[in-house]
Amino acid sequence: MELAVIVAHQIVIMFILIGIGIIVLKKGIVTIESTKNYSNFLLMIVTPALIINAYQRELVKEQLEGLIFSFILAIIFHILSIIVVKLIIRKRKSTDYKVEQMGAIYSNCGFMGFPVLSALLGQDGMLYGTAFVGVFNIFLWTNGISLLSNDTKLSIKKIFLNPGVIGVIVGLILYFTQIKLPSVIGESIGYIASLNTPLAMIITGVFLANVDMKATLKNINIYKSVLLRILILPLMMLILIKITNFENWISGGYEVALSHIISCSCPAASSTILLVTKMNLNSEHGAELVAISTLLCVITIPILTIIFNVL
């Protein structure tokens, strides 16, 4: 219950930041166009800085083992999600189904996951969370792009030359070699990394300000995608972890498992708006998915956290 309270507390803070985003757009302080530039800054600069900053720590054997299993769990989750979502959200005349598949598979594991992991598990949670984000980016820039564009060609460039994966690669090199960045560089990266939550949530608020919530709540396809994203898929992973008794496989198994459940329980990724816009699909539908899943995760993440600790 204590963990659930911490999660709920963190999510309430995020909603306050989202509210600020809504206000600044309504007041004309920022525009949708300028926010797209901020989004690119967040993806290209802040996310890699956040990941690199998380790896600037002493290498501990037990944590290394946990990190490896974090990568494995993240890969299993994304493969499972792609299969399940393809079976449930079927192709139809409207291309909105592509947006719904995207929103169901990919979680806001970086923008929303990291602050929750930090509040719950401290630096250990952040470390294990970087594995999920690294795998997320690989699948996002391959399968995600394929979903939206029908391009089935696998691009090595898309896999490795994207901000999230570059951040993971650089961070892992520094982590395994135990190279410590000069204090002036390390502190600068730390300051940039601290922008992640406030900037991401304010940007989300700006996009949500234009969403017609009444019309959104009447769209049944929204609920199918959202329930997959914030409840069904993470619950499937939670059951798999409990059935296999994963928590007892390694030292720190509890922290690894909980950080994974938090990461895959986050609402639809902001990329559901950003990449959908880039592909000239229905970005408003993407914003609707982000809006509803973000609103409901204030209930589902604490519930999943309680279930995880009770079972």
Side-chain angles (χ1 to χ4, degrees), residues 35-76:
T35 304
K36 289 178 182 178
N37 293 328
Y38 298 142
S39 298
N40 286 331
F41 173 72
L42 193 64
L43 288 169
M44 302 297 292
I45 304 298
V46 177
T47 297
L50 182 71
I51 294 171
I52 291 170
N53 190 59
Y55 282 118
Q56 282 288 283
R57 55 185 293 148
E58 183 181 354
L59 194 156
V60 179
K61 182 181 178 182
E62 289 77 11
Q63 291 176 344
L64 177 59
E65 193 175 35
L67 187 61
I68 292 171
F69 274 99
S70 295
F71 276 107
I72 294 172
L73 285 175
I75 292 170
I76 292 172

Side-chain angles (χ1 to χ4, degrees), residues 11 15 18 103-104 106-108 112 204 208 213 216-217 222-223 225-231 265-270 272-273 285-301:
I11 293 176
F15 271 109
I18 289 172
Y106 296 103
S107 77
N108 211 351
M112 182 167 281
T204 300
L208 299 189
M213 292 302 293
T216 299
L217 293 173
I222 291 283
Y223 294 103
S225 178
V226 168
L227 285 175
L228 280 165
R229 165 86 307 280
I230 64 173
L231 188 61
S265 302
C266 290
S270 300
T272 308
I273 301 172
H285 196 48
E288 290 168 351
L289 289 169
V290 172
I292 298 301
S293 59
T294 301
L295 287 169
L296 293 179
C297 78
V298 71
I299 300 171
T300 56
I301 292 181

Side-chain angles (χ1 to χ4, degrees), residues 54-246:
Y55 282 118
Q56 282 288 283
R57 55 185 293 148
E58 183 181 354
L59 194 156
V60 179
K61 182 181 178 182
E62 289 77 11
Q63 291 176 344
L64 177 59
E65 193 175 35
L67 187 61
I68 292 171
F69 274 99
S70 295
F71 276 107
I72 294 172
L73 285 175
I75 292 170
I76 292 172
F77 172 76
H78 282 91
I79 293 174
L80 176 66
S81 297
I82 291 168
I83 294 171
V84 172
V85 168
K86 284 275 192 176
L87 291 173
I88 296 178
I89 301 178
R90 308 304 291 268
K91 183 177 180 180
R92 60 181 191 270
K93 188 174 181 180
S94 170
T95 57
D96 283 355
Y97 81 90
K98 297 181 180 182
V99 184
E100 292 156 15
Q101 288 179 340
M102 180 83 170
I105 295 169
Y106 296 103
S107 77
N108 211 351
C109 54
F111 300 158
M112 182 167 281
F114 276 137
V116 175
L117 289 174
S118 179
L120 280 176
L121 300 169
Q123 287 299 310
D124 287 353
M126 293 281 285
L127 178 67
Y128 301 140
T130 60
F132 194 97
V133 170
V135 173
F136 161 88
N137 275 283
I138 291 174
F139 277 90
L140 177 70
W141 289 93
T142 51
N143 170 259
I145 296 295
S146 176
L147 283 177
L148 299 178
S149 65
N150 292 325
D151 181 7
T152 57
K153 293 181 180 179
L154 189 63
S155 170
I156 299 300
K157 182 179 179 181
K158 288 177 183 177
I159 294 176
F160 294 105
L161 296 183
N162 67 76
V165 174
I166 289 173
V168 171
I169 292 172
V170 172
L172 284 173
I173 290 172
L174 295 174
Y175 180 63
F176 287 127
T177 60
Q178 284 296 282
I179 296 175
K180 301 299 180 185
L181 296 171
S183 60
V184 66
I185 295 177
E187 288 180 25
S188 298
I189 290 176
Y191 282 127
I192 295 172
S194 67
L195 294 173
N196 179 70
T197 300
L199 186 56
M201 292 302 102
I202 290 172
I203 288 172
T204 300
V206 171
F207 281 116
L208 299 189
N210 282 333
V211 173
D212 183 348
M213 292 302 293
K214 287 184 179 180
T216 299
L217 293 173
K218 296 177 182 178
N219 188 343
I220 192 166
N221 290 313
I222 291 283
Y223 294 103
K224 187 187 296 185
S225 178
V226 168
L227 285 175
L228 280 165
R229 165 86 307 280
I230 64 173
L231 188 61
I232 296 173
L233 292 172
L235 192 57
M236 289 174 68
M237 279 304 296
L238 190 154
I239 293 171
L240 179 62
I241 285 171
K242 291 298 181 178
I243 288 176
T244 59
N245 198 28
F246 170 79

Side-chain angles (χ1 to χ4, degrees), residues 252-294:
Y254 171 83
E255 288 76 13
V256 172
L258 181 57
S259 66
H260 177 76
I261 295 301
I262 294 295
S263 295
C264 65
S265 302
C266 290
S270 300
S271 304
T272 308
I273 301 172
L274 304 179
L275 287 182
V276 165
T277 302
K278 185 177 180 181
M279 296 294 177
N280 296 314
L281 295 174
N282 190 351
S283 59
E284 288 186 5
H285 196 48
E288 290 168 351
L289 289 169
V290 172
I292 298 301
S293 59
T294 301

